[in-house]
Amino acid sequence: TCDLPGARSIFDIIRAKHVELAAERKVPPAGPARAALVRRRAGIRTAGEANVTARELGEETVEGVRVTHLAFLAPSGLALPAKLMTPPDVRDEAVISISRHGMTNALANVRGDLAAGRAVLVADLTGLGSIGRGRCDFDGTMSVRPEEGTAAMLYLIGETMVGRRATDLLVLGDWLVSRGFRTITIVASDDAVIPAAAAK
């Protein structure tokens, strides 16, 4: 037991190994080299490598804002639902607004950007929003962290959640560029923050 002299718990062993590996780890300074390392380790692909196509599913006008419904389709058949909100006096600036709740209540959260003439693209990234709940419950965490099942499935096929979500963001940004937007800002919260930082 842990009461014996010199006994170590599994947590003590993991902590000691972590300290040992951290001392050996060489992290490049902030800049292109570190960004390239993050992309490689997380498995982040460019929009071209992802080979995703966008399909417009229709439009509607809500409070004077044109809302274009979209689906970003991967070769595997998976689709990311998204909405592009375009104000009447739109400029060449766009915001990608992402949170763990996906597109829920999106219009209420982006009124300031729309009022300033910026288009706003909201989407349900992999494991977030309407596509966030998997069918498998891993370790009883489904009700607390519903994306846990998606993360486990990605791990089993050699991918990471950060890599997949960052790739999603790069695809969205590339599409906005193709639509003529010159300045694109990602506004992320909750579980979308780390993928957003990695997608720079």
Side-chain angles (χ1 to χ4, degrees), residues 39-40 42-52 74-76 154 159 162-164 166-171 199:
R39 288 192 179 206
R40 188 171 65 253
I44 300 170
R45 294 173 292 160
T46 65
E49 291 168 336
N51 195 26
V52 171
S76 64
L154 287 171
E159 294 190 45
V162 169
R164 180 66 75 91
T167 299
D168 293 344
L169 286 167
L170 291 174
V171 166

Side-chain angles (χ1 to χ4, degrees), residues 56-183:
E56 295 190 15
L57 305 177
E59 288 187 357
E60 62 180 321
T61 301
V62 180
E63 298 181 21
V65 175
R66 188 173 78 250
V67 180
T68 305
H69 299 271
L70 302 156
F72 288 84
L73 307 171
S76 64
L78 295 175
L80 297 180
K83 294 178 184 178
L84 176 66
M85 293 178 276
T86 309
D89 55 347
V90 67
R91 303 184 304 195
D92 62 355
E93 298 178 34
V95 173
I96 301 174
S97 180
I98 304 295
S99 78
R100 73 176 309 167
H101 303 294
M103 296 186 291
T104 303
N105 299 322
L107 185 59
N109 297 330
V110 298
R111 290 185 190 279
D113 289 306
L114 294 169
R118 289 183 285 269
V120 178
L121 181 64
V122 294
D124 289 344
L125 300 187
T126 299
L128 294 176
S130 64
I131 57 173
R133 183 170 291 280
R135 295 184 178 181
C136 301
D137 189 349
F138 288 84
D139 301 325
T141 58
M142 186 62 74
S143 61
V144 179
R145 306 293 292 181
E147 70 272 29
E148 182 79 10
T150 304
M153 290 296 139
L154 287 171
Y155 171 77
L156 292 174
I157 62 173
E159 294 190 45
T160 69
M161 185 72 91
V162 169
R164 180 66 75 91
R165 288 177 176 171
T167 299
D168 293 344
L169 286 167
L170 291 174
V171 166
L172 298 177
D174 186 72
W175 182 80
L176 286 169
V177 169
S178 75
R179 296 289 296 249
F181 293 101
R182 300 179 63 184
T183 302

